[in-house]
Amino acid sequence: MATAATTPQDSASSTPDAIVVRFAGDSGDGMQLTGGQFTLSTALAGNDLATFPDFPAEIRAPQGTLFGVSAFQINFGSRQINTAGDAPDVLVAMNPAALKVNLAALKPGGLIIADTGAFTKRNLDKAHYEANPLEDDSLAKYDVLAFDISEKTIEAVKPFGLGNKDALRSKNMWTLGLALWMFGRSRQPIHDWLKAKFKSKPDIADANIAALDAGHAFGETAELSGPMRQMEMPPVQSEPGLYRTITGAEAVSLGLVAGAQLAELPMFFGGYPITPASAILHHLARLKEYGVTTFQAEDEIAAICAAIGASYAGQLGVTSSSGPGIALKTEAIGLGIMTELPLVIVNSQRGGPSTGLPTKTEQSDLYQAVYGRNGDAPMPVIAARSPSDAFEVAIEACRIATEYMTPVMLLTDGYIANAAEPWKVPNPADFTPFPAQFLTEPRGEQLLPYKRNEKGARPWIKPGTPGMMHRIGGIEKHEETGNIDYSPDNHQRMTDLRKAKVENIAVPDQEVALGETSGTLAVVGWGSTYGPIHQAVRRSIAKGCSVSHIHVRHIWPLPKNLGELLKAFDHVLVPEMNTGQFKTVLRDQFLVDAQPLTKTSGQPFQIAELEAAIAKYFDGIEGNEGGEVAVNNQQLPSPLAEND
Amino acid sequence: MATAATTPQDSASSTPDAIVVRFAGDSGDGMQLTGGQFTLSTALAGNDLATFPDFPAEIRAPQGTLFGVSAFQINFGSRQINTAGDAPDVLVAMNPAALKVNLAALKPGGLIIADTGAFTKRNLDKAHYEANPLEDDSLAKYDVLAFDISEKTIEAVKPFGLGNKDALRSKNMWTLGLALWMFGRSRQPIHDWLKAKFKSKPDIADANIAALDAGHAFGETAELSGPMRQMEMPPVQSEPGLYRTITGAEAVSLGLVAGAQLAELPMFFGGYPITPASAILHHLARLKEYGVTTFQAEDEIAAICAAIGASYAGQLGVTSSSGPGIALKTEAIGLGIMTELPLVIVNSQRGGPSTGLPTKTEQSDLYQAVYGRNGDAPMPVIAARSPSDAFEVAIEACRIATEYMTPVMLLTDGYIANAAEPWKVPNPADFTPFPAQFLTEPRGEQLLPYKRNEKGARPWIKPGTPGMMHRIGGIEKHEETGNIDYSPDNHQRMTDLRKAKVENIAVPDQEVALGETSGTLAVVGWGSTYGPIHQAVRRSIAKGCSVSHIHVRHIWPLPKNLGELLKAFDHVLVPEMNTGQFKTVLRDQFLVDAQPLTKTSGQPFQIAELEAAIAKYFDGIEGNEGGEVAVNNQQLPSPLAEND
Amino acid sequence: MNAPVTIETTLKDWETDQEVRWCPGCGDYAILKAVQRTLPQLGADPANTVFISGIGCSSRFPYYIESYGFHTIHGRAPAFATGAKLANPDLDIWLVTGDGDGLSIGGNHLMHVLRRNVNMQIMLFNNEIYGLTKGQASPTSREGTKSPSTPIGSYDHPARPAAFALGSGARFIGRGFDVSKHLPDVLKAAHAHKGAAFIEIFQNCIVYNKDVFDDFAAPKGAEDRQLWLENGKPMLFAKDTNGLALNRETLGLEVVDVVDGDWESAGVIVHDVTNRSVAHMLIEMPFGPFPMALGVLYDDPRPTFEDAVTEERERASAGKEANLAKLLGTGQTWTVSGTAQDPV
Amino acid sequence: MNAPVTIETTLKDWETDQEVRWCPGCGDYAILKAVQRTLPQLGADPANTVFISGIGCSSRFPYYIESYGFHTIHGRAPAFATGAKLANPDLDIWLVTGDGDGLSIGGNHLMHVLRRNVNMQIMLFNNEIYGLTKGQASPTSREGTKSPSTPIGSYDHPARPAAFALGSGARFIGRGFDVSKHLPDVLKAAHAHKGAAFIEIFQNCIVYNKDVFDDFAAPKGAEDRQLWLENGKPMLFAKDTNGLALNRETLGLEVVDVVDGDWESAGVIVHDVTNRSVAHMLIEMPFGPFPMALGVLYDDPRPTFEDAVTEERERASAGKEANLAKLLGTGQTWTVSGTAQDPV
Ligand SMILES: Cc1ncc(C[n+]2csc(CCOP(=O)(O)OP(=O)(O)O)c2C)c(N)n1
Ligand SMILES: Cc1ncc(C[n+]2csc(CCOP(=O)(O)OP(=O)(O)O)c2C)c(N)n1
Ligand code: SF4
Ligand code: SF4
Ligand SMILES: [Mg+2]
Ligand SMILES: [Mg+2]
């Protein structure tokens, strides 16, 4: 079986070092659970992995419909895995709609496992299939393994006396059992999990266990030809230690808790539900014992204002949302900048504009993060590149906010928020604390609430501190006293000071993630494109291209050495899941000819897409149809090329 | 008397072609009225002019205080005038606070006219003067003309039996009378105006007329030495026609009315009070007979949403605000972009960030206008360069909004909004109409509310139209039907289409406002910096510099030829009243080394500042201390240079 | 009182070709059907009818009604509707919002559309939860509601939509619930009211807040806890065995027994839809012995905003000529004669 | 009921060095003095007292009080105050807002802070106009108010701040006016109320809406139109010659004559600050024969938000250890042994 994580040329090789599996079914079929448990077993087997859950926008779409399909993709292997995989090797389709929606993604020659029991006339109609695809030739270029999972599940759970409807709820466990068998995995952890989950309903636990075992047994005992065979995937070489899987939303939440602890501050989180940001609110709501207060406000404006109010009162204020909600926070962010209070703003980006595509991923709020405010309102912006990276980035956001007394925007996205990957559990003691300082006495004769320290930060003075009464607000303030001051010189100076404070934030020098520090092409990414860019660059280097991967965490201010670094390359290509926003920042700041490579379909980049784009810069490299260094300034895919 | 509108070298010349006068007093002293009437008389005398009202943030600050000073500056001359003047030649100071606040601006050798009657101990204290400046040597480098205007006014109005307090209300008219005499102006128009204004109180009218006449007579009869003499300012050569003075706020309002008429649409204006944008709401509220509905909403969000609702129902929706209010509209602008409805958003910029400096001017919302939204949300942005220019720009905004079915941002600023200049009254019939088209029948078999025309605009379908029922919203829409469509391909295409629509808006080619189309230095401005840049470039060309002035109206999309044009210059300098926002757009779009020259004091650029910055690019030109082509990347003034 | 023209339609005419995307069993289906059933009875014209909504499960409503529809942004529907109504007062506007959309993020716009009295029907689907974002507590959630954002129970005091509406100045307050057969009557009364008509519709979110209204809305056995108000009729419930009376001591409502239908001697109040004081009490009726007040709680029209705006525009325009050329040349003008130079 | 420590201060201690920037004669001065006079009487500690405001003339208030002060953004003060109070429940928070700040842009936050019942004093300076932006009509402006944005008179139905507050769930409603000598008493009662205490203060904007409250607040001759409510006392006014009674027919309030002080036989109601139904009627009293209800209209405490949040946090933390290292390693974990390779 070929692996998705290698180039087509590799597909002949017999020992795959990675495999991509996609589970797809109705949203009622429990595909996310199945995927989650398969992920656990994969992790326990020592493989590296990345996942991509893709669920419908509807809460519970009517059964069997195309828009009600829920899918979970996992890429796992015996080498480092950075993406959820371009195209699945294996597609599990629990009903016709799931097959229809997901077939296009399947790799040619890939394996389809389908539940014939769900391919009824009714379901075929709902999926707009004229004929049963399992019964005509339409799937000829794939391996198809179709049998009646529904019936087999009902049989397996018969001893527990469940009605048919309840019995069918265990279909996903049957399927999982089969998948476990295929990859030689232990069932024990899933047994344990089921027992814990259905502690109060042991019958249900047992029924599910029976279904799981039956699926496993089916694989083991059935006389099966060709595609149905066991695959072995040796463990990846990993640093020793304790591991877990983590999603981006979890990592941000834990990172914020860690950040607050490193700052020695209680945390106040003001949120308002919005997809995909809500997960952070949900996680933090369960961590009250860590000095966390979560406040579900009446709207996003109140959420950020309450967070600023809490920061004012001496806690670490945090707020979080997605595009439309971040837009609403704009005015209050300005006040945070003017009053110079610490604040972390997390933006879990989704497809836009407007309500857009709430459940799809995109990186299109970078303009808003860097530039989107009235007035000259500089604010640091940092971005997480993967679920596990989000932990460190969240700590970094807390550090900058408290050390520099400033709002900080942390960018993540729908993909990072929901995707899971293995994470070597860090030891909090390994992080350097950055305890917040409160001013409790005037530094000189007079109390000067806006007199800055060497970092340009003003002092943080908590109400409640005797003798330190003062007043702050959103009107331009005097350079030292903080009193209202409209005078031209003062405004000029304060604008300069605010700008300088942010520009001088200590940001680590930019490193090259892969490849040399100079050469023909730098592929510069930020955020969740890390995985596909990394793999595409790795493959291109293997083909002999002089290409490097540079991945920027500090979007604003940028690392001081980044300009020089980029100038050491003949070309700079900036793949983004937007129409070219970060490239604007790079061109403005460094006057380098950064070329955008954009994709705005709500789906992550595929490795192959990036590889092809890189190839255009290299003579004689497969993929460079032109045979010469070509300039990339394209939208991928660009179906409108003819229409423009 | 020297003129402010010429360089210091010119100051020796004996026939000034422009003079700058600043009236300053307590906010209760009626300085804005005085200035307004002096402006009228100046206009009637045929001079070109520009004004700059500068009033306190407070409604009615306590009398005599420094923060309660209100000033009105006018620059007028017998040649083209583009700015309100760098430094006044004449300062009228109605009290000590007015003198204190405004003295620094006065040109060395300038004339001070002061009311000794107001230089009481109490008022001197309030202005924090230890000694009476009229009585010590501190004003030695100026010509001072001090006499008891208060007393003379009381005397003049005695026949009308007013109490002292009421009598003193006419001080400003006495002063205006003197000013009219100084420049040989007719009193009749002011008499007429006073009679009209106080129609129901003829006594008050008569008292004010008496004060005015007395001030005038004082100039005429008093034996006065040196500075007190009559000046003649010949009329400027102007195109024949009907003229009036107009402020930017008036011009925007009238331009919107004209734009709606050219589009053959009723106008719906949704606003919420905020300084300095409110003036537009106030003007339009009085123009109901032009098919204008004004709606003072509960907040800025409701204001824009109501405007979008009105556009949806078939009117031309308009909304207006300043920075903090525009920030609040961000989310709704996204909906306007997604639903592709016409909408004009006027931003009268003020100093920021946050509440900032409500009554001061700045250009710091350009980032927000061009980039400040979630998602890829392209929107046209245009900027007015002067009060009168705002009329045409408002029409242009209406044209783009209706022809391309899109929100349009019109940028003006506090300076343009309040400043007045002469305006040759245009004939509405000279503008090409752009009647809005409503779709009343499906174009083909099926109703396709998102099927675009050759401009990329979707059809506008009014609710109420039989048989055309359809549904729109902020979720990504299908390319043709407009139904909800989350599919990757569709989102990709729609993102492309929205981008292409805005990028392909027909924008006139960029012209060069002054100078050659290539050369050493292009000074590129936008918005209200037009005046000072124009004069500075004019003077520099006169000194022999190869410098041109390019002033950009269409900020987004940019004129197609602009990139080539800029590349024809060795250097590009971008003066802005912000920390360098437009330069980001230019560098990004054209990869030209556009250098920022910034000023964020809440005050317009001075001509001399710009002249000095230009000089740095030219060998052997006075002002180029370095004697070589220097790069400008500076904040003006930069008092923090040592601190950085 | 909106539709100037009365036309004939059937329920089918109000159905769109869009797949309905609510969870199977959601109360929204029943409300959709009730509205689609009511519109033909009102003689409503699809071409003149506009459904405007915010964001939420409930706010998907416009997609399923064959009329004009605008699915706007979260909480702001009243503002869009106000603009549309002012632009074209002939439109018959229905606003659809949820307890989150209308009372959390959108409370301010709701207050102002009620205060201004813009003529439209405002249906607030109160399921006491945020459905679309997967079940967080909403401002109307009862204390103790466990949800992803309130894992050990919410502790906000819940808002009461009808009390909020009345405090905001509403002149029509109606109440019903998703599967009630009386819902169309409430909708009709709301439509007949000229002005902003506020209708609270209790709606079962079977996924995140299942059966939370069962104490009065359960399909069986809860009828006795429903007080269906009718103008001019005594406030009786529980098959007329109970009624509401004013307690002269506490100056508040109390539940009294009614024997043999003699409500008068029991002091049962006769419902007067224009009595604002009583409306306050009906709305604030706590649970305990009290029933849920349903139907038309309050209905006392006053001039509408769009009429006032139209009148004002007419008044302001009266006798004035809309001559733009003249307008431009108004104010402080002067003329430069043509001798000096040629036009530039 | 906020200040845990009682300390001694004088009026002077509460004055700042900032120049007061209201118009001479503005009613805000009187309110400032009333507050500065009240604070020492409460034993308030400047270091523990926080004034939080939005934007408007009224919202400049914090600059003039020597305590902690936060002049925030337009309409959002309640949200900032909620965050500050949750972060430090010991702070004694006073919120200052205007009719525009609190009821126009900020209505939603006002509703929610009242609903949640966050313990603070909320002073809404109602001058029925937008002062700071130079005199546009506000949501409380009377119909017909001429202003720059309503040149021939406004036509919005005015909002009633106290009715809005009560409909939003407020548990304390007080009323006073700028120059009234009773204002400090109302402030004290509000401070004594544990929870969100809403105080409407009528304030004279002498520049843009001069003397608009003269019908009951004129310095001379208007006392007869003031009904100062006292708990347990009959509702008498006009030197005890008039009182309020319940009309048994209309079930609403009416004005009755009181002869020789015999209010009982006139049926005058005894004020019970916990009676919500009566509070509704008092608040909605139209003009005409009715007086303006002033003082403490309603005062019926219930648990506060910050207490609930604190309790909830304690309950959630009970018996749990806040061990971050452990937390990070929670969930689905596995161990990679050190044999394979050296740490990278
Ligand atoms: C500005 C903004 N904030 C948040 C959201 C996310 N959001 C969508 S619907 C919703 C709440 C829906 O609750 P409700 O109005 O009660 O409707 P229901 O789904 O229960 O019918 C939220 C918070 C959004 N779309 N936009
Ligand atoms: C977001 C925003 N919108 C508008 C304004 C302008 N603004 C400042 S104060 C104010 C209204 C003030 O009215 P009110 O609250 O009644 O206070 P008052 O001045 O009458 O005391 C407005 C509209 C602003 N500062 N910010
Ligand atoms: S989540 Fe609840 S309200 Fe939303 S569609 Fe499902 S059942 Fe209905
Ligand atoms: S404008 Fe009115 S409210 Fe504002 S300070 Fe002046 S008098 Fe007071
Ligand atoms: Mg809901
Ligand atoms: Mg006010």
Side-chain angles (χ1 to χ4, degrees), chain A residues 119-162:
Chain A
F119 279 67
T120 60
K121 169 91 180 64
R122 204 176 130 82
N123 281 345
L124 288 164
D125 283 354
K126 284 197 202 161
H128 307 306
Y129 269 122
E130 314 246 300
N132 187 340
L134 302 178
E135 291 169 3
D136 60 19
D137 281 347
S138 58
L139 303 177
K141 51 177 179 160
Y142 308 100
D143 282 333
V144 180
L145 212 52
F147 40 83
D148 198 334
I149 296 178
S150 298
E151 195 194 274
K152 289 179 200 301
T153 304
I154 293 178
E155 234 164 68
V157 305
K158 207 174 252 159
F160 303 93
L162 303 174

Side-chain angles (χ1 to χ4, degrees), chain D residues 161-226:
Chain D
F164 175 77
L166 202 58
S168 299
R171 310 298 297 187
F172 180 100
I173 308 274
R175 259 201 199 140
F177 57 92
D178 43 15
V179 296
S180 164
K181 62 176 190 295
H182 299 301
L183 185 56
D185 296 329
V186 183
L187 299 175
K188 274 182 257 174
H191 194 260
H193 174 93
K194 190 165 151 80
F198 180 80
I199 314 143
E200 180 181 18
I201 305 176
F202 300 105
Q203 173 246 326
N204 195 358
C205 169
I206 57 134
V207 174
Y208 296 114
N209 215 13
K210 195 160 190 267
D211 299 342
V212 73
F213 303 113
D214 263 7
D215 39 8
F216 65 88
K220 285 210 182 78
E223 297 85 0
D224 284 0
R225 312 219 3 94
Q226 301 167 14

Side-chain angles (χ1 to χ4, degrees), chain A residues 250-311:
Chain A
E250 283 168 337
V252 168
S253 308
L254 294 174
L256 290 169
V257 171
Q261 289 208 349
L262 292 166
E264 296 176 9
L265 291 171
M267 187 210 306
F268 179 95
F269 181 90
Y272 184 73
I274 188 166
T275 306
S278 311
I280 298 172
L281 168 62
H282 303 170
H283 285 299
L284 288 173
R286 298 181 173 277
L287 298 177
K288 301 240 156 63
E289 65 269 30
Y290 292 86
V292 175
T293 300
T294 55
F295 171 60
Q296 182 183 317
E298 57 269 30
D299 64 14
E300 288 86 351
I301 299 177
I304 185 173
C305 292
I308 294 174
S311 280

Side-chain angles (χ1 to χ4, degrees), chain D residues 9-15 32-38 40:
Chain D
T9 58
T10 66
L11 188 153
K12 282 267 161 248
D13 292 323
W14 296 93
E15 288 175 351
L32 176 62
K33 274 278 171 290
V35 171
Q36 286 169 334
R37 205 175 300 128
T38 306

Side-chain angles (χ1 to χ4, degrees), chain A residues 229-248:
Chain A
R229 61 167 211 268
Q230 245 182 328
M231 311 269 323
E232 214 186 305
M233 182 66 68
V236 69
Q237 302 286 65
S238 310
E239 208 181 327
L242 182 69
Y243 282 78
R244 61 175 287 189
T245 58
I246 194 160
T247 65

Side-chain angles (χ1 to χ4, degrees), chain A residues 201-225:
Chain A
K201 296 174 189 154
D203 263 25
I204 305 286
D206 289 346
N208 276 298
I209 290 172
L212 184 87
D213 290 350
H216 193 266
F218 179 82
E220 214 155 45
T221 60
E223 281 285 331
L224 289 161
S225 60

